[in-house]
Amino acid sequence: MSELAEQFYAVGTTAICDADKTTRVMDGALRARSARVRLYGPAFTVRCREDFLAVLQAVELASPGEVVIVDGGARETALAGDMLDRGAFAQGRGGIIVDACYRDSA
C-alpha cells in the first residue's frame, strides 16, 4: 500500500472535508452494501440508466485499483449486485459506487 493510501486510511472523512473545502461528500441516501466501507483509488466513471451493460463494460475496462463510479440517476433499476462486485474485486478493482438500486444484498 502506498504512503498516501496509508495516510488516507488513518484519517476520517470529516477531517478530510474540513481540511479541504473543495472535497465533496456523497448524498446521505447512498449506503454501503459491504463490510468494506472505505474506498480509495482513481475514479472510473460511467453513466447509464436502464441497462447495466455499461456497468459491465466499465468493470472490464477499469484498471486495477480504480473505483468504478456509476451514475445511474438514482433509478429503481438494479445496476449492480453482489456477483458483479465479487467479480470486480477478483479483478483487482478498488470498488464500485452505484447511484441506483443494488440487488443480491442480504
Side-chain angles (χ1 to χ4, degrees):
M1 183 179 296
S2 74
E3 182 180 336
L4 181 59
E6 288 176 14
Q7 290 175 0
F8 170 78
Y9 281 109
V11 177
T13 305
T14 54
I16 294 170
C17 291
D18 288 346
D20 181 1
K21 301 299 183 199
T22 64
T23 300
R24 300 223 181 245
V25 295
M26 292 188 298
D27 186 301
L30 295 175
R31 299 282 182 245
R33 300 290 184 219
S34 70
R36 185 177 172 189
V37 295
R38 295 187 98 179
L39 302 176
Y40 173 83
F44 187 100
T45 60
V46 61
R47 175 178 287 152
C48 61
R49 296 297 188 249
E50 300 300 330
D51 185 353
F52 75 105
L53 178 60
V55 179
L56 294 173
Q57 291 173 330
V59 169
E60 289 296 318
L61 294 172
S63 297
E66 287 186 320
V67 178
V68 176
I69 311 291
V70 180
D71 173 2
R75 303 268 176 151
E76 294 294 319
T77 304
L79 297 177
D82 187 53
M83 291 177 64
L84 179 71
D85 290 353
R86 288 175 193 255
F89 283 119
Q91 294 176 18
R93 304 312 175 255
I96 300 177
I97 298 173
V98 180
D99 183 16
C101 284
Y102 182 95
R103 56 174 265 161
D104 308 323
S105 167

